């Protein structure tokens, strides 16, 4: 199995469903409430683990009841938690999600997720160097993200950087990521003076732009490519991007081509949004293989 290290947030999602979003100052009656497991890091780890990878999670949780449940969820999904540390002075991270008309809006509170620091990354240098792939996102302090990407670059370890939520990132850091995977909104915040085509051409085989129902775009060094999405009726889009990143990590680290890896990620994401919750719909490899769109040539065991 591929060893994938995911470094990122581990949080609880508090999910409200409603027929409409409230206006400022308005109180409305929702249609449902659930507590689910989330955090972009944990989501991507779960997505990769369910597809057969040997996944190690690096992160921080609080010493509260939520932290204990978050750790249990990771181990239930066969994720190694040796590098997940509890802290006593911050609550576990949380995301407060409103779903209306099949789409979501989110307020994220980092809590304990912000307690990871650069010295912790250096202490895990040997573990990181032993991985086939490292995955990191922006629900960590930026200096920690920078340290991870610098370490992977120096150690010749492939790293997927999912720059979400969007914020300013040094161009030198982006250039050192093996792959970076913004969505359309995040792309425009990273490159406000650049068109999509200009950005793709500047970072061939490196910038992978996820565009929801429009599919995924990248530049192969010769021309711009679009990999179409699979058309489905979404139930809950929460976690779709995380599912794509986790699945792409499994595929590309298994030696699949860029096109194949993106199609594999697109299929996993399309299955995930047909169920409720960020992790609730993330497919297993068996479920992927049952799909009519699964390609027998994909090198996944």
């Amino acid at each position: 199995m591929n060893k994938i290290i995911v470094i990122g947030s581990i949080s609880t999602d508090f999910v409200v469903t409603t027929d409409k979003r409230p206006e400022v100052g308005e109180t409305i009656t929702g249609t449902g409430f659930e507590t689910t497991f989330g955090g972009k890091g944990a989501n991507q780890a779960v997505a990769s683990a369910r597809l057969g990878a040997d996944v190690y999670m690096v992160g921080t949780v609080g010493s509260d009841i939520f932290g204990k449940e978050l750790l249990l969820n990771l181990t239930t999904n066969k994720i190694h938690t040796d590098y997940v540390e509890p802290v006593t002075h911050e609550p576990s991270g949380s995301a407060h999600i409103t779903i209306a008309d099949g789409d979501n809006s989110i307020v994220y509170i980092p809590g304990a997720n912000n307690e990871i620091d650069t010295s912790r990354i250096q202490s895990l240098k040997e573990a990181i160097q032993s991985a086939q792939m490292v995955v990191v996102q922006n629900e960590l302090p930026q200096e920690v993200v920078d340290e991870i990407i610098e370490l992977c670059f120096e150690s010749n370890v492939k790293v997927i950087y999912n720059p979400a939520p969007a914020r300013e990132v040094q161009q030198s850091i982006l250039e050192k990521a093996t792959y970076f995977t913004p969505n359309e909104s995040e792309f425009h915040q990273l490159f406000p003076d650049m068109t999509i085509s200009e950005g793709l051409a500047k970072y061939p085989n490196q910038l992978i732009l996820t565009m929801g129902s429009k599919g995924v775009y990248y530049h192969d060094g010769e021309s711009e490519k679009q990999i179409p999405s699979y058309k489905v009726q979404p139930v809950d889009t929460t976690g779709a991007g995380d599912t794509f990143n986790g699945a792409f990590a499994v595929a590309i680290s298994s030696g699949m081509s860029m096109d194949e890896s993106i199609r594999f990620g697109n299929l996993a994401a399309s299955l995930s949004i047909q169920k409720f919750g960020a992790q609730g719909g993330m497919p297993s490899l068996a479920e992927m293989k049952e799909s009519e769109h699964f390609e027998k040539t994909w090198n996944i065991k």
Side-chain angles (χ1 to χ4, degrees):
M1 291 190 293
N2 297 334
K3 181 178 180 180
I4 296 176
I5 293 182
V6 180
I7 309 175
S9 56
I10 310 166
S11 302
T12 305
D13 290 349
F14 299 91
V15 187
V16 171
T17 53
T18 177
D19 293 330
K20 56 165 282 190
R21 301 182 192 280
E23 303 294 335
V24 175
E26 179 185 18
T27 299
I28 64 172
T29 300
T31 57
F33 171 76
E34 287 196 41
T35 304
T36 61
F37 296 107
K40 295 191 72 64
N43 289 347
Q44 292 173 16
V46 168
S48 292
R50 288 188 184 169
L51 295 172
D54 187 25
V55 180
Y56 288 75
M57 184 80 217
V58 177
T60 312
V61 296
S63 297
D64 48 27
I65 185 62
F66 298 112
K68 294 179 176 64
E69 292 295 324
L70 290 165
L71 282 170
L72 178 60
N73 176 62
L74 292 172
T75 56
T76 300
N77 280 282
K78 300 180 180 179
I79 296 167
H80 301 279
T81 59
D82 313 55
Y83 308 132
V84 179
E85 291 187 357
V87 298
T88 58
H89 55 285
E90 288 285 350
S92 296
S94 60
H96 303 262
I97 303 169
T98 300
I99 299 173
D101 297 324
D103 223 333
N104 67 74
S105 55
I106 303 172
V107 176
Y108 171 62
I109 301 171
N113 289 305
N114 271 356
E115 295 307 299
I116 192 168
D117 57 22
T118 55
S119 63
R120 175 99 175 279
I121 301 306
Q122 284 299 322
S123 73
L124 296 172
K125 183 176 181 178
E126 288 187 12
I128 290 170
Q129 290 173 332
S130 70
Q132 278 74 52
M133 183 68 70
V134 172
V135 183
V136 64
Q137 329 74 31
N138 271 357
E139 287 183 346
L140 297 177
Q142 188 61 47
E143 62 268 22
V144 174
V145 174
D146 294 352
E147 185 80 6
I148 293 163
I149 294 173
E150 291 276 9
L151 175 58
C152 289
F153 182 78
E154 292 167 3
S155 304
N156 199 29
V157 175
K158 291 182 178 179
V159 58
I160 297 171
Y161 177 30
N162 178 219
R167 63 187 177 211
E168 185 176 340
V169 180
Q170 294 180 23
Q171 184 172 325
S172 60
I173 292 297
L174 291 174
E175 290 173 349
K176 290 178 179 178
T178 316
Y179 310 100
F180 58 101
T181 59
N183 63 22
E184 185 175 7
S185 172
E186 291 152 2
F187 170 87
H188 288 302
Q189 291 188 62
L190 285 170
F191 306 108
D193 301 321
M194 201 177 291
T195 67
I196 286 174
S197 290
E198 288 170 343
L200 294 170
K202 183 175 181 179
Y203 298 100
N205 294 305
Q206 186 180 17
L207 169 57
I208 299 166
L209 181 62
T210 60
M211 300 271 282
S213 62
K214 299 176 186 176
V216 175
Y217 290 76
Y218 78 102
H219 197 290
D220 69 356
E222 295 182 359
S223 62
E224 188 174 306
K225 301 289 186 181
Q226 179 199 18
I227 309 298
S229 62
Y230 297 94
K231 306 304 179 186
V232 297
Q233 183 62 45
V235 173
D236 179 8
T237 59
T238 309
D242 295 333
T243 305
F244 172 84
N245 277 276
F248 176 79
V250 172
I252 202 77
S253 63
S254 297
M256 288 166 58
S257 69
M258 182 75 88
D259 276 25
E260 289 177 321
S261 299
I262 292 172
R263 290 201 303 274
F264 187 80
N266 280 350
L267 179 57
S270 74
L271 294 174
S272 76
I273 64 176
Q274 296 179 67
K275 294 182 181 179
F276 183 84
Q279 296 177 16
M282 290 178 173
S284 65
L285 186 56
E287 290 170 327
M288 290 278 282
K289 290 180 176 180
E290 290 172 0
S291 168
E292 61 179 313
H293 300 295
F294 188 85
E295 300 176 27
K296 293 181 180 179
T297 57
W298 284 345
N299 183 31
I300 297 289
K301 298 179 181 179

